[in-house]
């Protein structure tokens, strides 16, 4: 409807706009109340409650697994973050398992299973860190350098992605020689070092021979170089016989009668 009077037309337009705005507001209120009711419904609240009940069980399982592994490597220093997925209701405690072929460290996946009222399977993912104090290079170590305490220190390290082995005590590297250049801060792995020879080829050695409670010592000449614990050929200077003996110290070998 249009009026001849311009001011009457303006009033009519404002009136129609006002009614339209009221309809929009009423629809928004109804929609909002419906959404709140849905979120607060017994079913929704039950699902949220169920999800919160799963978390302690899953965390407890993973804690035991990680603590057992950490203890096996000499650590009680560990932490993990776990992402619990959306799960359907379950009338019984979850069946939780993990791949036993892999250690519970780094990226870990747990398998979650429910058998009642309906069977379902899901997975929870976790990030696990286990810390040890590992031996690292304090200074840059040159190739064929004999390691000593001033070159090394220990540093708290997450061992999740340490793949080439490590040392936890500086004393384990006594008499070791670097096989290559090692930069400062680098974790020392067994591949980087080798035992310094305690006996060199053609070097005079002391042969210690044991028989029961008896011990005899004699001179000999090493026919091979060897480090701690290695067996080498040694020539007995008294009898000129060649024997096999174990390197037990600098220029010292041991054998049995």
């Amino acid at each position: 409807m249009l009026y001849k009077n311009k001011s009457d037309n303006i009033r009519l337009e404002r009136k129609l706009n006002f009614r339209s705005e009221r309809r929009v507001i009423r629809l928004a209120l109804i929609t909002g109340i419906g959404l709140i009711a849905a979120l607060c419904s017994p079913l929704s609240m039950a699902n949220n409650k169920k999800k919160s009940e799963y978390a302690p069980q899953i965390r407890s399982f993973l804690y035991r697994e990680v603590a057992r592994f950490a203890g096996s490597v000499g650590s009680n220093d560990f932490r993990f973050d776990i992402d619990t997925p959306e799960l359907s209701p379950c009338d019984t405690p979850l069946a939780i398992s993990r791949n036993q072929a892999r250690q519970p460290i780094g990226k870990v996946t747990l398998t979650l299973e429910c058998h009642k009222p309906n069977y379902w399977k899901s997975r929870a993912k976790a990030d696990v860190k286990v810390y040890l104090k590992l031996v690292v290079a304090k200074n840059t170590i040159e190739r064929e350098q004999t390691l000593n305490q001033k070159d090394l220190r220990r540093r708290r390290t997450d061992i999740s992605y340490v793949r080439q082995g490590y040392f936890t005590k500086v004393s384990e590297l006594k008499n070791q020689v670097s096989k290559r250049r090692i930069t400062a801060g680098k974790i020392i792995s067994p591949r980087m070092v080798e035992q310094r020879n305690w006996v060199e080829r053609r070097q005079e050695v002391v042969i210690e021979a044991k028989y029961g409670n008896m011990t005899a010592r004699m001179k000999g000449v090493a026919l091979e170089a060897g480090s701690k614990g290695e067996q080498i050929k040694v020539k007995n200077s008294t009898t000129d016989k060649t024997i096999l003996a174990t390197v037990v110290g600098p220029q010292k070998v041991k054998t049995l009668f």
Side-chain angles (χ1 to χ4, degrees):
M1 179 187 297
L2 294 177
Y3 296 95
K4 293 181 179 180
N5 192 315
K6 186 177 180 181
S7 60
D8 290 338
N9 286 331
I10 293 173
R11 281 195 297 271
L12 177 61
E13 185 179 348
R14 287 177 178 173
K15 186 176 181 180
L16 293 174
N17 288 340
F18 177 72
R19 288 177 179 175
S20 177
E21 289 172 359
R22 288 182 63 184
R23 289 194 196 98
V24 172
I25 293 170
R26 188 180 299 111
L27 180 61
L29 287 173
I30 292 171
T31 305
I33 292 170
L35 179 60
I36 293 170
L39 291 174
C40 297
S41 67
L43 178 60
S44 175
M45 293 176 69
N47 286 340
N48 288 336
K49 183 181 179 182
K50 275 293 184 181
K51 181 179 177 182
S52 67
E53 287 177 353
Y54 297 138
Q57 185 188 351
I58 297 170
R59 290 187 65 85
S60 179
F61 174 87
L62 185 58
Y63 181 91
R64 291 193 301 271
E65 295 286 297
V66 176
R68 189 181 299 116
F69 168 74
S72 72
V73 296
S75 173
N76 59 2
D77 183 5
F78 60 87
R79 57 162 293 179
F80 60 83
D81 297 312
I82 187 165
D83 181 19
T84 304
E86 293 285 347
L87 300 173
S88 300
C90 187
D91 291 347
T92 58
L94 297 180
I96 308 174
S97 61
R98 68 173 183 85
N99 184 353
Q100 296 294 330
R102 298 183 60 186
Q103 299 291 7
I105 192 169
K107 301 298 182 184
V108 177
T109 300
L110 301 180
T111 300
L112 316 174
E113 292 181 89
C114 176
H115 297 276
K116 292 181 180 180
N118 299 305
Y119 177 80
W120 54 257
K121 181 187 286 189
S122 186
R123 285 180 172 79
K125 296 185 180 296
D127 184 21
V128 180
K129 300 180 187 297
V130 175
Y131 296 93
L132 278 172
K133 286 190 174 181
L134 304 186
V135 179
V136 302
K138 186 176 181 180
N139 312 299
T140 296
I141 299 168
E142 300 299 333
R143 185 173 180 273
E144 297 184 354
Q145 179 179 327
T146 300
L147 305 184
N148 57 56
Q149 194 164 355
K150 69 179 180 63
D151 300 314
L152 307 167
R153 67 183 180 90
R154 294 200 306 160
R155 184 181 70 204
R156 181 176 180 262
T157 305
D158 172 22
I159 64 171
S160 301
Y161 302 103
V162 180
R163 303 301 185 199
Q164 297 183 351
Y166 50 78
F167 296 93
T168 58
K169 298 178 181 177
V170 172
S171 59
E172 294 176 302
L173 289 160
K174 186 177 181 181
N175 294 313
Q176 300 272 359
V177 177
S178 58
K179 296 166 70 173
R180 62 178 179 82
R181 192 172 187 266
I182 305 171
T183 57
K186 194 80 172 177
I187 297 171
I188 308 294
S189 76
R191 294 184 179 184
M192 298 178 182
V193 295
E194 59 186 357
Q195 187 73 38
R196 184 181 65 186
N197 288 337
W198 277 355
V199 174
E200 298 294 343
R201 186 170 178 267
R202 296 180 181 176
Q203 189 177 48
E204 276 199 355
V205 295
V206 174
I207 304 170
E208 186 179 273
K210 294 194 72 174
Y211 181 77
N213 295 327
M214 295 177 57
T215 301
R217 293 179 178 82
M218 59 209 78
K219 290 184 179 181
V221 176
L223 302 180
E224 298 174 306
S227 58
K228 180 182 178 180
E230 290 185 330
Q231 274 199 334
I232 61 172
K233 291 180 180 179
V234 177
K235 183 178 181 180
N236 187 321
S237 298
T238 303
T239 63
D240 281 340
K241 288 184 177 181
T242 298
I243 60 172
L244 279 177
T246 302
V247 178
V248 294
Q251 297 177 252
K252 185 177 180 181
V253 298
K254 183 183 286 187
T255 188
L256 298 175
F257 280 119

